[in-house]
Amino acid sequence: MDRTEADVDWEHVQATPEFQLLRSRRRRFVFPMTVAFLAWYLVYVLLADYAHAFMSARLWGNITVGLVLGLAQFVTTFVVTALYVRFANRKLDPLAAELRAEYGR
């Protein structure tokens, strides 16, 4: 079925159980992951501001706890991205493809 955007009743699509499931799955992943990441970032910022001795503790040579935790922020970003891509490929994309096939686009 090849429809244009103007031919699709988007309010009807949003009301379908399949679309509601898609939204629900996405939210169940995105919201907790966002809270966890922001909490981790907030802990890092608070440690940097209030735990100077801890953050400046040397681990190896000039490598400090603060530097390692700061680099871990970048690693966490890539891990969260990889987890989301895996989740989307397995749980969201098949359902979205079904919706696209049914309602065209």
Side-chain angles (χ1 to χ4, degrees):
M1 189 181 289
D2 194 17
R3 301 177 180 176
T4 65
E5 273 193 48
D7 296 334
V8 178
D9 180 4
W10 293 110
E11 289 179 7
H12 171 72
V13 174
Q14 288 178 345
T16 63
E18 296 85 7
F19 187 82
Q20 295 301 317
L21 178 61
L22 180 65
R23 283 181 53 178
S24 173
R25 283 183 182 174
R26 183 182 151 273
R27 286 180 176 171
R28 279 196 314 257
F29 181 89
V30 170
F31 290 155
M33 190 63 70
T34 300
V35 169
F37 183 79
L38 290 175
W40 159 228
Y41 180 73
L42 181 62
V43 165
Y44 174 72
V45 170
L46 291 173
L47 285 172
D49 196 32
Y50 296 107
H52 296 272
F54 173 71
M55 294 294 271
S56 63
R58 295 189 187 280
L59 299 174
W60 310 280
N62 287 331
I63 307 297
T64 62
V65 171
L67 180 62
V68 170
L69 292 180
L71 292 174
Q73 290 288 321
F74 290 101
V75 172
T76 303
T77 302
F78 290 111
V79 168
V80 168
T81 301
L83 289 173
Y84 180 76
V85 167
R86 182 174 179 232
F87 173 79
N89 286 339
R90 295 173 68 208
K91 301 288 185 180
L92 301 180
D93 291 349
L95 191 52
E98 288 176 24
L99 284 167
R100 273 193 302 276
E102 185 172 345
Y103 296 101
R105 187 144 184 238

